[in-house]
Amino acid sequence: MSDQLLFVLKLCLLALLYLFFFRVVRAVWAELRTPSPVVGSAVAAGAAAPAGRRERKAQAKAAKARPQLVVVEPAALAGRGYQLDNEASIGRAAGCQITLDDTYASQIHARVFLRDGQWLVEDLGSTNGTWLNRHKVSGPMVLQRGDRLQIGNTVMELR
């Protein structure tokens, strides 16, 4: 083989190696960054329209009820409860409001949040998915009392 061909092959190999490292760093960064909170457009714009007042009243009423997620499975953690505020992130990362010691849970796996007086759950691009009443969560889904939320091997019930 000629020296020029070997040089070109070395450059191609080096480019592939850099591309691989870039993909690894990007995947780690996506796993570690925290999700930004979602704010309704009427509230974010500071609008004082009647719909905005109704929305704030509904959120205040729902916040008074203060539901909690109670672990049902695994048996070793059964009965452990997590009080919900307006938003809670769930995962293995120390920065999550609900920290799970579950190898099948992502660092920042899902979030539970209050919107329009209803509790919703949303998967945050986890590897193994989030399940609500044995249905895969593909977007924000309404979470009601008695519903079961599964993240990895951990099953929690909203009470």
Side-chain angles (χ1 to χ4, degrees):
M1 286 192 170
S2 70
D3 290 337
Q4 290 176 340
L5 181 61
L6 286 174
F7 182 72
V8 170
L9 288 174
K10 285 180 190 178
L11 287 178
C12 290
L13 180 64
L14 188 62
L16 286 173
L17 189 62
Y18 276 113
L19 180 65
F20 172 75
F21 284 126
F22 172 73
R23 299 269 310 187
V24 169
V25 168
R26 194 174 78 174
V28 169
W29 180 258
E31 192 72 24
L32 292 179
R33 73 181 166 94
T34 58
S36 59
V38 176
V39 179
S41 60
V43 176
R53 280 187 234 135
R54 275 184 264 150
E55 182 178 325
R56 284 191 294 271
K57 284 181 182 178
Q59 285 182 345
K61 183 180 178 182
K64 288 178 185 175
R66 288 275 170 108
Q68 64 176 348
L69 283 172
V70 179
V71 176
V72 178
E73 294 176 20
L77 298 174
R80 184 174 188 176
Y82 300 96
Q83 196 79 26
L84 294 177
D85 283 329
N86 288 337
E87 181 175 344
S89 58
I90 305 170
R92 287 190 338 238
C96 291
Q97 286 79 16
I98 300 174
T99 306
L100 301 177
D101 186 21
D102 188 335
T103 56
Y104 292 102
S106 297
Q107 291 291 321
I108 301 173
H109 195 101
R111 73 180 184 127
V112 176
F113 59 99
L114 182 64
R115 183 183 294 161
D116 298 330
Q118 291 184 319
W119 289 96
L120 293 122
V121 62
E122 177 181 36
D123 185 76
L124 298 175
S126 64
T127 305
N128 295 318
T130 303
W131 301 83
L132 177 62
N133 296 326
R134 297 185 182 228
H135 297 289
K136 189 167 186 170
V137 175
S138 56
M141 293 179 69
V142 176
L143 187 64
Q144 298 176 347
R145 293 186 189 268
D147 284 351
R148 290 192 173 210
L149 180 65
Q150 182 174 355
I151 294 175
N153 290 328
T154 306
V155 179
M156 296 176 279
E157 184 175 305
L158 185 70
R159 295 183 185 164

PDB file of all heavy atoms in Angstrom, residues 54-91:
ATOM      1  N   ARG A  54     -58.542  31.017  36.951  1.00  0.00           N
ATOM      2  CA  ARG A  54     -59.137  29.696  37.176  1.00  0.00           C
ATOM      3  C   ARG A  54     -58.060  28.635  37.281  1.00  0.00           C
ATOM      4  O   ARG A  54     -58.143  27.730  38.106  1.00  0.00           O
ATOM      5  CB  ARG A  54     -60.108  29.341  36.051  1.00  0.00           C
ATOM      6  CG  ARG A  54     -61.495  29.904  36.284  1.00  0.00           C
ATOM      7  CD  ARG A  54     -62.434  29.459  35.218  1.00  0.00           C
ATOM      8  NE  ARG A  54     -62.434  30.562  34.254  1.00  0.00           N
ATOM      9  CZ  ARG A  54     -62.627  30.449  32.964  1.00  0.00           C
ATOM     10  NH1 ARG A  54     -62.851  29.279  32.439  1.00  0.00           N
ATOM     11  NH2 ARG A  54     -62.600  31.481  32.169  1.00  0.00           N
ATOM     12  N   GLU A  55     -57.055  28.755  36.418  1.00  0.00           N
ATOM     13  CA  GLU A  55     -55.963  27.779  36.437  1.00  0.00           C
ATOM     14  C   GLU A  55     -55.212  27.843  37.767  1.00  0.00           C
ATOM     15  O   GLU A  55     -54.894  26.816  38.358  1.00  0.00           O
ATOM     16  CB  GLU A  55     -55.002  28.068  35.287  1.00  0.00           C
ATOM     17  CG  GLU A  55     -53.864  27.085  35.185  1.00  0.00           C
ATOM     18  CD  GLU A  55     -52.962  27.381  33.998  1.00  0.00           C
ATOM     19  OE1 GLU A  55     -53.466  27.825  32.957  1.00  0.00           O
ATOM     20  OE2 GLU A  55     -51.758  27.172  34.148  1.00  0.00           O
ATOM     21  N   ARG A  56     -54.913  29.043  38.252  1.00  0.00           N
ATOM     22  CA  ARG A  56     -54.211  29.181  39.531  1.00  0.00           C
ATOM     23  C   ARG A  56     -55.056  28.656  40.688  1.00  0.00           C
ATOM     24  O   ARG A  56     -54.545  28.024  41.602  1.00  0.00           O
ATOM     25  CB  ARG A  56     -53.825  30.638  39.759  1.00  0.00           C
ATOM     26  CG  ARG A  56     -52.624  31.068  38.920  1.00  0.00           C
ATOM     27  CD  ARG A  56     -52.107  32.417  39.349  1.00  0.00           C
ATOM     28  NE  ARG A  56     -53.036  33.508  39.100  1.00  0.00           N
ATOM     29  CZ  ARG A  56     -53.101  34.210  37.976  1.00  0.00           C
ATOM     30  NH1 ARG A  56     -52.287  33.925  36.985  1.00  0.00           N
ATOM     31  NH2 ARG A  56     -53.964  35.192  37.833  1.00  0.00           N
ATOM     32  N   LYS A  57     -56.385  28.905  40.636  1.00  0.00           N
ATOM     33  CA  LYS A  57     -57.260  28.390  41.695  1.00  0.00           C
ATOM     34  C   LYS A  57     -57.284  26.867  41.682  1.00  0.00           C
ATOM     35  O   LYS A  57     -57.255  26.230  42.730  1.00  0.00           O
ATOM     36  CB  LYS A  57     -58.685  28.932  41.533  1.00  0.00           C
ATOM     37  CG  LYS A  57     -58.838  30.371  41.956  1.00  0.00           C
ATOM     38  CD  LYS A  57     -60.273  30.825  41.802  1.00  0.00           C
ATOM     39  CE  LYS A  57     -60.446  32.276  42.177  1.00  0.00           C
ATOM     40  NZ  LYS A  57     -61.837  32.724  41.985  1.00  0.00           N
ATOM     41  N   ALA A  58     -57.355  26.295  40.481  1.00  0.00           N
ATOM     42  CA  ALA A  58     -57.375  24.834  40.367  1.00  0.00           C
ATOM     43  C   ALA A  58     -56.066  24.246  40.884  1.00  0.00           C
ATOM     44  O   ALA A  58     -56.069  23.226  41.572  1.00  0.00           O
ATOM     45  CB  ALA A  58     -57.614  24.419  38.920  1.00  0.00           C
ATOM     46  N   GLN A  59     -54.945  24.888  40.565  1.00  0.00           N
ATOM     47  CA  GLN A  59     -53.662  24.391  41.054  1.00  0.00           C
ATOM     48  C   GLN A  59     -53.565  24.526  42.567  1.00  0.00           C
ATOM     49  O   GLN A  59     -53.040  23.644  43.238  1.00  0.00           O
ATOM     50  CB  GLN A  59     -52.515  25.139  40.384  1.00  0.00           C
ATOM     51  CG  GLN A  59     -52.285  24.706  38.957  1.00  0.00           C
ATOM     52  CD  GLN A  59     -51.103  25.412  38.316  1.00  0.00           C
ATOM     53  OE1 GLN A  59     -50.620  26.411  38.821  1.00  0.00           O
ATOM     54  NE2 GLN A  59     -50.655  24.885  37.195  1.00  0.00           N
ATOM     55  N   ALA A  60     -54.083  25.620  43.113  1.00  0.00           N
ATOM     56  CA  ALA A  60     -54.055  25.808  44.563  1.00  0.00           C
ATOM     57  C   ALA A  60     -54.911  24.754  45.262  1.00  0.00           C
ATOM     58  O   ALA A  60     -54.528  24.204  46.289  1.00  0.00           O
ATOM     59  CB  ALA A  60     -54.535  27.209  44.917  1.00  0.00           C
ATOM     60  N   LYS A  61     -56.082  24.461  44.678  1.00  0.00           N
ATOM     61  CA  LYS A  61     -56.973  23.461  45.267  1.00  0.00           C
ATOM     62  C   LYS A  61     -56.323  22.070  45.238  1.00  0.00           C
ATOM     63  O   LYS A  61     -56.361  21.338  46.220  1.00  0.00           O
ATOM     64  CB  LYS A  61     -58.300  23.435  44.511  1.00  0.00           C
ATOM     65  CG  LYS A  61     -59.310  22.478  45.088  1.00  0.00           C
ATOM     66  CD  LYS A  61     -60.594  22.510  44.291  1.00  0.00           C
ATOM     67  CE  LYS A  61     -61.589  21.517  44.827  1.00  0.00           C
ATOM     68  NZ  LYS A  61     -62.827  21.493  44.039  1.00  0.00           N
ATOM     69  N   ALA A  62     -55.718  21.732  44.099  1.00  0.00           N
ATOM     70  CA  ALA A  62     -55.070  20.426  43.977  1.00  0.00           C
ATOM     71  C   ALA A  62     -53.847  20.329  44.894  1.00  0.00           C
ATOM     72  O   ALA A  62     -53.536  19.273  45.418  1.00  0.00           O
ATOM     73  CB  ALA A  62     -54.671  20.170  42.532  1.00  0.00           C
ATOM     74  N   ALA A  63     -53.162  21.453  45.080  1.00  0.00           N
ATOM     75  CA  ALA A  63     -51.984  21.440  45.941  1.00  0.00           C
ATOM     76  C   ALA A  63     -52.362  21.210  47.400  1.00  0.00           C
ATOM     77  O   ALA A  63     -51.597  20.637  48.163  1.00  0.00           O
ATOM     78  CB  ALA A  63     -51.218  22.749  45.797  1.00  0.00           C
ATOM     79  N   LYS A  64     -53.553  21.668  47.799  1.00  0.00           N
ATOM     80  CA  LYS A  64     -53.999  21.464  49.174  1.00  0.00           C
ATOM     81  C   LYS A  64     -54.183  19.985  49.472  1.00  0.00           C
ATOM     82  O   LYS A  64     -53.947  19.530  50.581  1.00  0.00           O
ATOM     83  CB  LYS A  64     -55.313  22.208  49.431  1.00  0.00           C
ATOM     84  CG  LYS A  64     -55.144  23.704  49.512  1.00  0.00           C
ATOM     85  CD  LYS A  64     -56.475  24.377  49.719  1.00  0.00           C
ATOM     86  CE  LYS A  64     -56.335  25.888  49.672  1.00  0.00           C
ATOM     87  NZ  LYS A  64     -57.619  26.575  49.761  1.00  0.00           N
ATOM     88  N   ALA A  65     -54.654  19.228  48.482  1.00  0.00           N
ATOM     89  CA  ALA A  65     -54.885  17.801  48.673  1.00  0.00           C
ATOM     90  C   ALA A  65     -53.556  17.068  48.905  1.00  0.00           C
ATOM     91  O   ALA A  65     -53.516  16.081  49.621  1.00  0.00           O
ATOM     92  CB  ALA A  65     -55.608  17.214  47.474  1.00  0.00           C
ATOM     93  N   ARG A  66     -52.467  17.538  48.280  1.00  0.00           N
ATOM     94  CA  ARG A  66     -51.125  16.989  48.429  1.00  0.00           C
ATOM     95  C   ARG A  66     -51.088  15.463  48.389  1.00  0.00           C
ATOM     96  O   ARG A  66     -50.916  14.805  49.406  1.00  0.00           O
ATOM     97  CB  ARG A  66     -50.481  17.464  49.707  1.00  0.00           C
ATOM     98  CG  ARG A  66     -50.069  18.901  49.729  1.00  0.00           C
ATOM     99  CD  ARG A  66     -48.685  19.049  49.104  1.00  0.00           C
ATOM    100  NE  ARG A  66     -48.357  20.438  48.902  1.00  0.00           N
ATOM    101  CZ  ARG A  66     -47.473  21.093  49.616  1.00  0.00           C
ATOM    102  NH1 ARG A  66     -46.834  20.483  50.585  1.00  0.00           N
ATOM    103  NH2 ARG A  66     -47.218  22.345  49.371  1.00  0.00           N
ATOM    104  N   PRO A  67     -51.257  14.885  47.228  1.00  0.00           N
ATOM    105  CA  PRO A  67     -51.155  13.421  47.143  1.00  0.00           C
ATOM    106  C   PRO A  67     -49.706  12.973  47.340  1.00  0.00           C
ATOM    107  O   PRO A  67     -48.789  13.787  47.340  1.00  0.00           O
ATOM    108  CB  PRO A  67     -51.631  13.124  45.724  1.00  0.00           C
ATOM    109  CG  PRO A  67     -51.320  14.359  44.964  1.00  0.00           C
ATOM    110  CD  PRO A  67     -51.492  15.495  45.931  1.00  0.00           C
ATOM    111  N   GLN A  68     -49.542  11.694  47.495  1.00  0.00           N
ATOM    112  CA  GLN A  68     -48.196  11.145  47.622  1.00  0.00           C
ATOM    113  C   GLN A  68     -48.086   9.855  46.833  1.00  0.00           C
ATOM    114  O   GLN A  68     -49.073   9.157  46.618  1.00  0.00           O
ATOM    115  CB  GLN A  68     -47.820  10.930  49.080  1.00  0.00           C
ATOM    116  CG  GLN A  68     -48.647   9.921  49.827  1.00  0.00           C
ATOM    117  CD  GLN A  68     -48.130   9.700  51.241  1.00  0.00           C
ATOM    118  OE1 GLN A  68     -47.034  10.135  51.578  1.00  0.00           O
ATOM    119  NE2 GLN A  68     -48.911   9.024  52.048  1.00  0.00           N
ATOM    120  N   LEU A  69     -46.875   9.575  46.385  1.00  0.00           N
ATOM    121  CA  LEU A  69     -46.576   8.315  45.724  1.00  0.00           C
ATOM    122  C   LEU A  69     -46.047   7.362  46.778  1.00  0.00           C
ATOM    123  O   LEU A  69     -45.088   7.674  47.492  1.00  0.00           O
ATOM    124  CB  LEU A  69     -45.520   8.519  44.630  1.00  0.00           C
ATOM    125  CG  LEU A  69     -46.008   9.138  43.328  1.00  0.00           C
ATOM    126  CD1 LEU A  69     -44.830   9.457  42.417  1.00  0.00           C
ATOM    127  CD2 LEU A  69     -46.978   8.217  42.621  1.00  0.00           C
ATOM    128  N   VAL A  70     -46.701   6.208  46.897  1.00  0.00           N
ATOM    129  CA  VAL A  70     -46.317   5.208  47.890  1.00  0.00           C
ATOM    130  C   VAL A  70     -45.794   3.977  47.165  1.00  0.00           C
ATOM    131  O   VAL A  70     -46.442   3.458  46.256  1.00  0.00           O
ATOM    132  CB  VAL A  70     -47.527   4.837  48.785  1.00  0.00           C
ATOM    133  CG1 VAL A  70     -47.138   3.777  49.790  1.00  0.00           C
ATOM    134  CG2 VAL A  70     -48.067   6.070  49.478  1.00  0.00           C
ATOM    135  N   VAL A  71     -44.620   3.506  47.569  1.00  0.00           N
ATOM    136  CA  VAL A  71     -43.997   2.343  46.942  1.00  0.00           C
ATOM    137  C   VAL A  71     -44.785   1.091  47.313  1.00  0.00           C
ATOM    138  O   VAL A  71     -45.085   0.849  48.479  1.00  0.00           O
ATOM    139  CB  VAL A  71     -42.525   2.203  47.383  1.00  0.00           C
ATOM    140  CG1 VAL A  71     -41.907   0.937  46.803  1.00  0.00           C
ATOM    141  CG2 VAL A  71     -41.728   3.426  46.979  1.00  0.00           C
ATOM    142  N   VAL A  72     -45.143   0.309  46.292  1.00  0.00           N
ATOM    143  CA  VAL A  72     -45.862  -0.949  46.471  1.00  0.00           C
ATOM    144  C   VAL A  72     -44.901  -2.125  46.294  1.00  0.00           C
ATOM    145  O   VAL A  72     -44.963  -3.101  47.029  1.00  0.00           O
ATOM    146  CB  VAL A  72     -47.032  -1.048  45.471  1.00  0.00           C
ATOM    147  CG1 VAL A  72     -47.771  -2.356  45.601  1.00  0.00           C
ATOM    148  CG2 VAL A  72     -47.984   0.129  45.639  1.00  0.00           C
ATOM    149  N   GLU A  73     -44.033  -2.027  45.314  1.00  0.00           N
ATOM    150  CA  GLU A  73     -43.017  -3.046  45.043  1.00  0.00           C
ATOM    151  C   GLU A  73     -41.692  -2.342  44.826  1.00  0.00           C
ATOM    152  O   GLU A  73     -41.684  -1.233  44.297  1.00  0.00           O
ATOM    153  CB  GLU A  73     -43.377  -3.854  43.785  1.00  0.00           C
ATOM    154  CG  GLU A  73     -44.621  -4.681  43.920  1.00  0.00           C
ATOM    155  CD  GLU A  73     -44.973  -5.379  42.608  1.00  0.00           C
ATOM    156  OE1 GLU A  73     -44.088  -5.527  41.745  1.00  0.00           O
ATOM    157  OE2 GLU A  73     -46.125  -5.758  42.457  1.00  0.00           O
ATOM    158  N   PRO A  74     -40.599  -2.904  45.189  1.00  0.00           N
ATOM    159  CA  PRO A  74     -40.344  -4.203  45.800  1.00  0.00           C
ATOM    160  C   PRO A  74     -40.758  -4.218  47.268  1.00  0.00           C
ATOM    161  O   PRO A  74     -40.909  -3.168  47.903  1.00  0.00           O
ATOM    162  CB  PRO A  74     -38.833  -4.374  45.651  1.00  0.00           C
ATOM    163  CG  PRO A  74     -38.301  -2.991  45.610  1.00  0.00           C
ATOM    164  CD  PRO A  74     -39.359  -2.162  44.952  1.00  0.00           C
ATOM    165  N   ALA A  75     -40.907  -5.399  47.792  1.00  0.00           N
ATOM    166  CA  ALA A  75     -41.403  -5.578  49.155  1.00  0.00           C
ATOM    167  C   ALA A  75     -40.515  -4.898  50.202  1.00  0.00           C
ATOM    168  O   ALA A  75     -41.002  -4.423  51.220  1.00  0.00           O
ATOM    169  CB  ALA A  75     -41.535  -7.065  49.472  1.00  0.00           C
ATOM    170  N   ALA A  76     -39.218  -4.825  49.928  1.00  0.00           N
ATOM    171  CA  ALA A  76     -38.290  -4.217  50.892  1.00  0.00           C
ATOM    172  C   ALA A  76     -38.573  -2.726  51.089  1.00  0.00           C
ATOM    173  O   ALA A  76     -38.299  -2.181  52.147  1.00  0.00           O
ATOM    174  CB  ALA A  76     -36.852  -4.410  50.427  1.00  0.00           C
ATOM    175  N   LEU A  77     -39.124  -2.061  50.081  1.00  0.00           N
ATOM    176  CA  LEU A  77     -39.407  -0.629  50.175  1.00  0.00           C
ATOM    177  C   LEU A  77     -40.897  -0.325  50.305  1.00  0.00           C
ATOM    178  O   LEU A  77     -41.282   0.846  50.319  1.00  0.00           O
ATOM    179  CB  LEU A  77     -38.855   0.091  48.939  1.00  0.00           C
ATOM    180  CG  LEU A  77     -37.345   0.014  48.729  1.00  0.00           C
ATOM    181  CD1 LEU A  77     -36.969   0.635  47.395  1.00  0.00           C
ATOM    182  CD2 LEU A  77     -36.618   0.690  49.864  1.00  0.00           C
ATOM    183  N   ALA A  78     -41.724  -1.348  50.362  1.00  0.00           N
ATOM    184  CA  ALA A  78     -43.175  -1.155  50.395  1.00  0.00           C
ATOM    185  C   ALA A  78     -43.583  -0.248  51.554  1.00  0.00           C
ATOM    186  O   ALA A  78     -43.080  -0.377  52.669  1.00  0.00           O
ATOM    187  CB  ALA A  78     -43.889  -2.499  50.508  1.00  0.00           C
ATOM    188  N   GLY A  79     -44.473   0.684  51.264  1.00  0.00           N
ATOM    189  CA  GLY A  79     -44.980   1.598  52.276  1.00  0.00           C
ATOM    190  C   GLY A  79     -44.249   2.928  52.333  1.00  0.00           C
ATOM    191  O   GLY A  79     -44.727   3.870  52.950  1.00  0.00           O
ATOM    192  N   ARG A  80     -43.103   3.032  51.684  1.00  0.00           N
ATOM    193  CA  ARG A  80     -42.359   4.298  51.677  1.00  0.00           C
ATOM    194  C   ARG A  80     -43.102   5.308  50.808  1.00  0.00           C
ATOM    195  O   ARG A  80     -43.446   5.033  49.681  1.00  0.00           O
ATOM    196  CB  ARG A  80     -40.965   4.056  51.136  1.00  0.00           C
ATOM    197  CG  ARG A  80     -40.103   5.265  51.183  1.00  0.00           C
ATOM    198  CD  ARG A  80     -38.702   4.934  50.778  1.00  0.00           C
ATOM    199  NE  ARG A  80     -37.868   6.082  51.012  1.00  0.00           N
ATOM    200  CZ  ARG A  80     -36.575   6.102  50.841  1.00  0.00           C
ATOM    201  NH1 ARG A  80     -35.973   5.002  50.446  1.00  0.00           N
ATOM    202  NH2 ARG A  80     -35.886   7.179  51.066  1.00  0.00           N
ATOM    203  N   GLY A  81     -43.378   6.482  51.355  1.00  0.00           N
ATOM    204  CA  GLY A  81     -44.162   7.485  50.644  1.00  0.00           C
ATOM    205  C   GLY A  81     -43.357   8.718  50.300  1.00  0.00           C
ATOM    206  O   GLY A  81     -42.421   9.096  51.006  1.00  0.00           O
ATOM    207  N   TYR A  82     -43.717   9.348  49.186  1.00  0.00           N
ATOM    208  CA  TYR A  82     -43.078  10.573  48.726  1.00  0.00           C
ATOM    209  C   TYR A  82     -44.169  11.627  48.499  1.00  0.00           C
ATOM    210  O   TYR A  82     -45.022  11.465  47.626  1.00  0.00           O
ATOM    211  CB  TYR A  82     -42.317  10.346  47.416  1.00  0.00           C
ATOM    212  CG  TYR A  82     -41.219   9.320  47.521  1.00  0.00           C
ATOM    213  CD1 TYR A  82     -41.446   7.998  47.147  1.00  0.00           C
ATOM    214  CD2 TYR A  82     -39.964   9.674  47.994  1.00  0.00           C
ATOM    215  CE1 TYR A  82     -40.434   7.055  47.229  1.00  0.00           C
ATOM    216  CE2 TYR A  82     -38.950   8.735  48.082  1.00  0.00           C
ATOM    217  CZ  TYR A  82     -39.192   7.430  47.694  1.00  0.00           C
ATOM    218  OH  TYR A  82     -38.195   6.502  47.785  1.00  0.00           O
ATOM    219  N   GLN A  83     -44.143  12.691  49.293  1.00  0.00           N
ATOM    220  CA  GLN A  83     -45.104  13.787  49.170  1.00  0.00           C
ATOM    221  C   GLN A  83     -44.833  14.538  47.865  1.00  0.00           C
ATOM    222  O   GLN A  83     -43.683  14.815  47.531  1.00  0.00           O
ATOM    223  CB  GLN A  83     -44.942  14.740  50.356  1.00  0.00           C
ATOM    224  CG  GLN A  83     -46.092  15.679  50.558  1.00  0.00           C
ATOM    225  CD  GLN A  83     -47.258  14.994  51.246  1.00  0.00           C
ATOM    226  OE1 GLN A  83     -47.084  14.028  51.962  1.00  0.00           O
ATOM    227  NE2 GLN A  83     -48.442  15.489  51.007  1.00  0.00           N
ATOM    228  N   LEU A  84     -45.895  14.870  47.122  1.00  0.00           N
ATOM    229  CA  LEU A  84     -45.738  15.580  45.858  1.00  0.00           C
ATOM    230  C   LEU A  84     -45.996  17.067  46.028  1.00  0.00           C
ATOM    231  O   LEU A  84     -46.969  17.469  46.654  1.00  0.00           O
ATOM    232  CB  LEU A  84     -46.697  15.012  44.808  1.00  0.00           C
ATOM    233  CG  LEU A  84     -46.455  13.575  44.370  1.00  0.00           C
ATOM    234  CD1 LEU A  84     -47.525  13.137  43.388  1.00  0.00           C
ATOM    235  CD2 LEU A  84     -45.081  13.426  43.753  1.00  0.00           C
ATOM    236  N   ASP A  85     -45.103  17.886  45.473  1.00  0.00           N
ATOM    237  CA  ASP A  85     -45.335  19.318  45.374  1.00  0.00           C
ATOM    238  C   ASP A  85     -45.851  19.578  43.961  1.00  0.00           C
ATOM    239  O   ASP A  85     -46.476  18.706  43.379  1.00  0.00           O
ATOM    240  CB  ASP A  85     -44.047  20.089  45.658  1.00  0.00           C
ATOM    241  CG  ASP A  85     -43.729  20.150  47.151  1.00  0.00           C
ATOM    242  OD1 ASP A  85     -44.679  20.160  47.945  1.00  0.00           O
ATOM    243  OD2 ASP A  85     -42.536  20.183  47.502  1.00  0.00           O
ATOM    244  N   ASN A  86     -45.559  20.724  43.389  1.00  0.00           N
ATOM    245  CA  ASN A  86     -46.039  21.015  42.040  1.00  0.00           C
ATOM    246  C   ASN A  86     -45.353  20.162  40.986  1.00  0.00           C
ATOM    247  O   ASN A  86     -45.919  19.887  39.943  1.00  0.00           O
ATOM    248  CB  ASN A  86     -45.845  22.493  41.715  1.00  0.00           C
ATOM    249  CG  ASN A  86     -46.816  23.356  42.479  1.00  0.00           C
ATOM    250  OD1 ASN A  86     -47.869  22.888  42.901  1.00  0.00           O
ATOM    251  ND2 ASN A  86     -46.458  24.604  42.681  1.00  0.00           N
ATOM    252  N   GLU A  87     -44.102  19.753  41.248  1.00  0.00           N
ATOM    253  CA  GLU A  87     -43.374  18.924  40.294  1.00  0.00           C
ATOM    254  C   GLU A  87     -42.343  18.097  41.040  1.00  0.00           C
ATOM    255  O   GLU A  87     -41.724  18.582  41.985  1.00  0.00           O
ATOM    256  CB  GLU A  87     -42.676  19.795  39.247  1.00  0.00           C
ATOM    257  CG  GLU A  87     -41.924  18.999  38.229  1.00  0.00           C
ATOM    258  CD  GLU A  87     -41.332  19.861  37.117  1.00  0.00           C
ATOM    259  OE1 GLU A  87     -41.736  21.015  36.958  1.00  0.00           O
ATOM    260  OE2 GLU A  87     -40.454  19.334  36.421  1.00  0.00           O
ATOM    261  N   ALA A  88     -42.169  16.857  40.607  1.00  0.00           N
ATOM    262  CA  ALA A  88     -41.159  15.990  41.201  1.00  0.00           C
ATOM    263  C   ALA A  88     -40.515  15.155  40.103  1.00  0.00           C
ATOM    264  O   ALA A  88     -41.216  14.549  39.292  1.00  0.00           O
ATOM    265  CB  ALA A  88     -41.781  15.077  42.251  1.00  0.00           C
ATOM    266  N   SER A  89     -39.189  15.152  40.080  1.00  0.00           N
ATOM    267  CA  SER A  89     -38.478  14.287  39.143  1.00  0.00           C
ATOM    268  C   SER A  89     -38.167  12.970  39.851  1.00  0.00           C
ATOM    269  O   SER A  89     -37.945  12.934  41.055  1.00  0.00           O
ATOM    270  CB  SER A  89     -37.198  14.959  38.645  1.00  0.00           C
ATOM    271  OG  SER A  89     -36.360  15.291  39.725  1.00  0.00           O
ATOM    272  N   ILE A  90     -38.175  11.897  39.068  1.00  0.00           N
ATOM    273  CA  ILE A  90     -37.973  10.558  39.607  1.00  0.00           C
ATOM    274  C   ILE A  90     -36.807   9.911  38.867  1.00  0.00           C
ATOM    275  O   ILE A  90     -36.755   9.947  37.639  1.00  0.00           O
ATOM    276  CB  ILE A  90     -39.235   9.687  39.428  1.00  0.00           C
ATOM    277  CG1 ILE A  90     -40.461  10.371  40.032  1.00  0.00           C
ATOM    278  CG2 ILE A  90     -39.037   8.311  40.036  1.00  0.00           C
ATOM    279  CD1 ILE A  90     -41.775   9.696  39.685  1.00  0.00           C
ATOM    280  N   GLY A  91     -35.874   9.324  39.612  1.00  0.00           N
ATOM    281  CA  GLY A  91     -34.751   8.644  38.984  1.00  0.00           C
ATOM    282  C   GLY A  91     -33.695   8.254  39.992  1.00  0.00           C
ATOM    283  O   GLY A  91     -33.904   8.348  41.198  1.00  0.00           O
TER     284      GLY A  91
END
